[in-house]
Amino acid sequence: MKGSAGGKRIMEWAAKSTHLGGVPRKIIIGAIGVWAKSVCSIFNSTSVYNANTLHHLVRSRPPGVPLITVSNHMSTLDDPVMWGFRGFPITNSKLARWVLAAEDICFKNALYSYVFRVGKCIPITRGGGIYQEHMNEALERLSDGEWLHTFPEGKVCHEDAPIRRLKWGTASLIVRAPVTPIVLPIIHRGFEKVMPENFMFGKRPPIPLFNKRIQMVIGEPIEFDLSELKKSAVLESQGLSFSSLQWPSLPSTGLDEAAQRWLYSSISDRIRSVMENLRRFSKTL
């Protein structure tokens, strides 16, 4: 399937809530949710710290206010299995998250594309940049007040290591959203044991492994004063030297590419710092 960084959205019709009356979405999310619950809560042991904060923001945040959850990425099963802990409404198709998913892995063919699209996944082309067309689709979901999950490190890392430098896509969505999203950090470990990359002959196991311990630690929302950050971006980016990617100016603020780079970098650094502190805290539990 051809990449989508240039313009055309992959099976956007299948991602709409009105597709066939919403029945395929309910079936797919319900079935995947039951499977994720079995992996997370029955066949493995999962502990969740501060789950009430996530519950509250998914169910009861103010109308029209979007939610972005950000987490580390330790296996190909992190999403959807991480939402399968006891008591979480993973099978509710209305409350279920949207998630940015790698196009080269999840959208290999028409069948995969349909299932992932119905399951509220947005394909992202690696190296396609923060202004690729599907990022605009993610922005539209935030504009609708939806919940979006991202893995801002950009790829799987099986080692329990410090959080790596974050990609700027999540920061760009925070800035461009018409209503500033609530940003909630999450750290987890254990999924890399449930679905290890090098299980046998350098390959993943055919099914998730059992009797592993999974830990999830949910932080508190990260607050951003975007008005002040934008002012700082204009001042700090003056005279900045870089290789231009021909980014458009932000419509609402007129920030040029230099200011956007400073702004996205600052927001990403803040998220990374909070995630790393949360990772360290999780080791004390």
Side-chain angles (χ1 to χ4, degrees):
M1 180 166 285
K2 293 181 179 180
S4 57
K8 189 175 181 181
R9 298 181 182 181
I10 297 173
M11 285 195 189
E12 185 180 15
W13 50 270
K16 295 183 180 297
S17 60
T18 54
H19 170 55
L20 296 180
V23 174
R25 176 179 289 183
K26 290 179 180 178
I27 292 174
I28 291 295
I29 289 181
I32 295 298
V34 170
W35 174 78
K37 277 189 175 294
S38 67
V39 174
C40 188
S41 301
I42 298 176
F43 298 119
N44 293 284
S45 175
T46 300
S47 63
V48 184
Y49 177 86
N50 197 28
N52 287 341
T53 294
L54 179 62
H55 275 285
H56 174 73
L57 291 176
V58 168
R59 292 180 178 273
S60 307
R61 66 185 181 278
V65 176
L67 170 66
I68 295 179
T69 49
V70 293
S71 76
N72 56 327
H73 201 5
M74 299 197 76
S75 82
T76 54
L77 281 188
D78 292 355
D79 182 283
V81 176
M82 63 186 293
W83 314 118
F85 62 89
R86 294 185 188 279
F88 194 75
I90 187 175
T91 58
N92 187 320
S93 61
K94 291 183 179 180
L95 294 179
R97 89 292 171 262
W98 290 86
V99 63
L100 303 183
E103 181 182 352
D104 59 325
I105 295 176
C106 302
F107 297 82
K108 292 180 178 179
N109 54 49
L111 177 60
Y112 278 24
S113 296
Y114 181 77
V115 170
F116 281 103
R117 278 309 231 162
V118 169
K120 301 175 78 170
C121 297
I122 300 174
I124 294 297
T125 303
R126 299 176 193 268
I130 63 175
Y131 285 106
Q132 60 181 280
E133 184 55 35
H134 282 116
M135 287 294 284
N136 292 332
E137 181 182 347
L139 184 62
E140 291 170 9
R141 300 291 73 78
L142 294 176
S143 300
D144 295 336
E146 295 278 4
W147 166 27
L148 175 72
H149 184 70
T150 73
F151 297 102
E153 290 178 289
K155 60 182 179 180
V156 171
C157 177
H158 282 86
E159 298 178 3
D160 189 2
I163 302 298
R164 295 166 295 181
R165 177 183 177 276
L166 305 188
K167 305 295 184 182
W168 288 353
T170 300
S172 74
L173 292 173
I174 294 169
V175 172
R176 296 165 63 199
V179 175
T180 302
I182 298 169
V183 181
L184 186 70
I186 300 173
I187 289 294
H188 55 75
R189 57 172 53 85
F191 292 114
E192 77 282 4
K193 297 177 181 177
V194 175
M195 183 54 69
E197 283 292 302
N198 299 310
F199 176 67
M200 187 176 294
F201 305 114
K203 295 184 178 181
R204 304 184 192 105
I207 60 173
L209 303 183
F210 302 161
N211 298 320
K212 307 299 181 183
R213 294 186 63 183
I214 299 168
Q215 179 194 49
M216 286 182 56
V217 179
I218 298 163
E220 296 297 332
I222 308 171
E223 296 184 0
F224 295 99
D225 187 340
L226 291 184
S227 178
E228 288 301 316
L229 282 170
K230 289 172 184 176
K231 292 177 184 178
S232 297
V234 173
L235 293 174
E236 297 292 339
S237 64
Q238 292 179 4
L240 196 65
S241 177
F242 59 90
S243 178
S244 176
L245 296 175
Q246 303 299 315
W247 288 353
S249 295
L250 290 181
S252 58
T253 61
L255 293 180
D256 60 16
E257 184 174 343
Q260 289 178 61
R261 283 172 172 267
W262 187 94
L263 185 58
Y264 299 157
S265 177
S266 296
I267 291 174
S268 296
D269 287 347
R270 172 81 189 287
I271 295 173
R272 178 185 174 278
S273 176
V274 172
M275 290 178 67
E276 175 58 20
N277 287 339
L278 194 62
R279 187 189 72 88
R280 292 177 181 176
F281 170 72
S282 70
K283 294 171 109 28
T284 68
L285 299 176

